[in-house]
């Protein structure tokens, strides 16, 4: 759609968005005194809201771009998404599930089914989430852990 392509991209896939979530992840790793879990979740939700408001196309909004199978969008959002996955993997399952719901993301089981569907197609995305950790891995490299 010519009119849609003329619309300006917002900040959803920007390095600033990635760095914002990365910084929050690092602060939360230091401990609850620096960045309590509730504050982390509030800050990240505010970041998602601001990024959504910067996007003029629904296809680039957080929930849409998170679940997209369109390769150009998967690649553009991959680094930002990996920071969110890192954050979610550090949370208790109940908090992570609640946050996913609040952000309009499908339950983790539904997302894994979508990932499995992508894996069965040769032109599918290379990035998938490990079902045990919720961390994103690349099919061509072994999964690394943060130990």
């Amino acid at each position: 759609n010519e009119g849609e392509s003329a619309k300006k991209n917002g900040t959803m896939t920007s390095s600033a968005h990635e760095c914002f979530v990365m910084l929050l992840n690092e602060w939360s790793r230091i401990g609850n005194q620096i960045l309590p879990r509730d504050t982390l979740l509030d800050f990240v939700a505010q970041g998602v809201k601001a990024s959504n408001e910067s996007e003029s196309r629904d296809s680039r909004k957080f929930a849409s771009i998170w679940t997209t199978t369109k390769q150009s969008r998967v690649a553009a959002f991959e680094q930002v998404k990996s920071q969110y996955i890192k954050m979610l993997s550090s949370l208790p399952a109940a908090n992570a599930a609640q946050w996913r719901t609040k952000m309009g993301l499908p339950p983790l089981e539904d997302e894994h089914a979508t990932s499995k569907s992508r894996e069965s197609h040769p032109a599918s995305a290379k990035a998938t989430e490990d079902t045990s950790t919720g961390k994103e891995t690349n099919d061509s490299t072994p999964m690394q852990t943060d130990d």
Side-chain angles (χ1 to χ4, degrees):
N1 183 347
E2 188 174 304
E4 188 170 299
S5 64
K7 292 180 180 179
K8 185 179 177 194
N9 289 340
T11 61
M12 191 60 67
T13 60
S14 72
S15 296
H17 187 178
E18 176 190 356
C19 289
F20 171 70
V21 182
M22 183 186 319
L23 178 63
L24 293 176
N25 280 332
E26 291 303 313
W27 282 347
S28 70
R29 288 179 69 182
I30 294 171
N32 206 36
Q33 295 295 329
I34 302 295
L35 185 62
R37 182 182 307 137
D38 290 342
T39 305
L40 167 69
L41 295 174
D42 287 344
F43 283 171
V44 173
Q46 289 173 26
V48 168
K49 183 179 183 226
S51 292
N52 275 340
E53 289 172 355
S54 75
E55 296 294 346
S56 57
R57 290 178 268 170
D58 287 343
S59 63
R60 288 183 49 90
K61 305 257 181 198
F62 188 76
S64 295
I65 203 165
W66 185 281
T67 58
T68 189
T69 57
K70 186 173 180 180
Q71 287 302 302
S72 62
R73 291 195 187 114
V74 168
F77 190 62
E78 184 174 12
Q79 296 301 312
V80 176
K81 185 176 181 179
S82 72
Q83 290 302 316
Y84 281 104
I85 290 170
K86 184 175 184 177
M87 179 204 68
L88 290 169
S89 69
S90 73
L91 299 173
N95 292 89
Q98 183 179 22
W99 187 86
R100 289 176 68 90
T101 300
K102 184 178 179 181
M103 295 302 112
L105 300 178
L108 200 52
E109 307 81 49
D110 293 351
E111 189 170 321
H112 289 305
T114 302
S115 292
K116 297 287 184 216
S117 167
R118 280 187 229 148
E119 291 170 11
S120 66
H121 295 86
S124 67
K126 289 185 181 179
T128 58
E129 282 183 48
D130 177 50
T131 56
S132 63
T133 63
K135 293 181 180 178
E136 194 167 292
T137 62
N138 186 309
D139 292 339
S140 63
T141 58
M143 188 174 89
Q144 297 177 5
T145 60
D146 291 337
D147 295 85

